[in-house]
Amino acid sequence: MTSSHGANSANNDPNTVPLRPAATVMLVRDTPPRGMEVFMLQRTMQAAFARGMYVFPGGRVDDADAAAEIEPYCAGLSDADASALLQVPHGGLAYWVAAIRECFEEAGILLARRASDADFVAFDTTATTSRFNSLRTSVHDGSLSLLQLCRDEQLVLAVDQIKYVSHWITPVGEARRFDTRFFVARAPQDQSPLHDDNETIDSLWVSPDVALQRAKDGTLAMIPPTISNLEYLARFDDADDVLAAASTIGTPPPILPRLRTDLEGRVIGIIMPGDPDYER
């Protein structure tokens, strides 16, 4: 979801800006004594979308994410069931696939496992870490598809470990609009996240409460969907509780903020559903 508040030019009808499907995943872990933490990335200041903002790993759903050939490599969730949960006619599984792909590309975390294992694939040696980092680069630049990675490494995507928690739609009037599904997953124990120094320039593990306070005091810049999902995470003590609660959400209602404008049409803020002037 964009945060640029870049209004379309007078020659463009804001109602015709296409909605681009996107997926974002919140990686959580338990870190005694600090408690539960979530992984966040800072987007580059040159980004066309959410420049400089702290976000969760994620991005656009690509056509390849919806390829029928990838469904057999998705553990425990069919496209029919994923589509029913997202309330779309078909192609719902692509959001889970995109969340995994983007997380691997941006953060180096691969939410996948060997077909015969219950645990996430481990990057537990220097050689393995180096090899998967090279594979990450290839997936990122498009020279290797996620499907081919699964075939080559005998992996299945752990879509059954990724829980759907919220649905945000960029306000009408933004230059770029996204239809974004937010997910949550436990971070693999034997993988270490990173930022790519390309689309992202910083990364950190942070407790949801601390992240919210830093957003309030201006030391971590965030957009409304990020803040709202941090508020959701902050309700729970540990990753088990988050994932258990997320499993019961079902289909969350879409959240569509509106742009607040002044008398001259300049964007001066965001109006959220439930705000007194939202329906005006």
Side-chain angles (χ1 to χ4, degrees):
M1 179 162 171
T2 183
S3 66
S4 62
H5 296 168
N8 291 281
S9 71
N11 295 325
N12 293 330
D13 181 354
N15 294 293
T16 65
V17 175
L19 275 176
R20 307 176 185 184
T24 294
V25 60
M26 298 180 286
L27 296 172
V28 294
R29 71 177 185 184
D30 295 321
T31 309
R34 296 192 301 272
M36 187 182 69
E37 297 178 317
V38 62
F39 183 70
M40 302 191 74
L41 296 160
Q42 184 185 21
R43 291 184 59 80
T44 175
M45 300 304 294
Q46 284 70 49
F49 146 69
R51 62 177 62 91
M53 299 290 170
Y54 279 82
V55 297
F56 310 114
R60 288 184 58 180
V61 178
D62 292 340
D63 290 343
D65 299 323
E69 294 85 355
I70 206 165
E71 185 169 358
Y73 294 89
C74 294
L77 184 66
S78 68
D79 182 67
D81 289 340
S83 299
L85 185 57
L86 269 58
Q87 296 185 344
V88 297
H90 55 79
L93 188 60
Y95 285 86
W96 275 259
V97 174
I100 292 173
R101 177 183 53 75
E102 288 284 351
C103 189
F104 187 42
E105 291 180 6
E106 290 190 341
I109 293 294
L110 183 57
L111 299 173
R113 56 181 182 260
R114 306 290 181 190
S116 58
D117 293 343
D119 296 328
F120 292 121
V121 60
F123 302 167
D124 52 359
T125 69
T126 301
T128 301
T129 300
S130 177
R131 185 165 62 84
F132 272 93
N133 190 51
S134 178
L135 293 170
R136 178 187 71 85
T137 300
S138 296
V139 172
H140 192 280
D141 67 22
S143 60
L144 177 69
S145 69
L146 191 61
L147 173 60
Q148 193 59 50
L149 174 65
C150 290
R151 288 171 172 166
D152 292 346
E153 298 293 327
Q154 297 182 309
L155 297 172
V156 292
L157 303 178
V159 295
D160 55 345
Q161 301 299 309
I162 302 171
K163 307 303 180 183
Y164 178 34
V165 293
S166 67
H167 179 191
W168 286 74
I169 301 173
T170 307
V172 173
E174 291 280 19
R176 291 176 175 82
R177 300 190 64 212
F178 295 90
D179 183 348
T180 306
R181 316 293 176 135
F182 282 77
F183 300 88
V184 64
R186 188 189 302 276
Q189 287 188 340
D190 296 316
Q191 298 183 33
S192 297
L194 47 78
H195 56 274
D196 61 13
D197 281 326
N198 181 16
E199 295 179 11
T200 56
I201 55 176
D202 188 26
S203 60
L204 76 163
W205 284 102
V206 62
S207 76
D209 283 333
V210 170
L212 288 167
Q213 182 57 49
R214 293 188 64 184
K216 187 177 296 185
D217 65 27
T219 58
L220 289 182
M222 298 179 199
I223 53 179
T226 306
I227 292 171
S228 177
N229 280 283
L230 283 169
E231 290 171 343
Y232 173 77
L233 293 181
R235 294 163 45 192
F236 304 99
D237 294 327
D238 56 40
D240 283 342
D241 288 346
V242 170
L243 293 168
S247 297
T248 68
I249 289 176
T251 304
I255 300 171
L256 175 58
R258 294 178 52 201
L259 297 181
R260 188 187 302 277
T261 57
D262 62 17
L263 294 177
E264 297 181 0
R266 292 174 299 208
V267 176
I268 58 174
I270 293 287
I271 308 171
M272 297 296 296
D275 288 347
D277 55 348
Y278 181 78
E279 299 298 336
R280 292 180 187 172

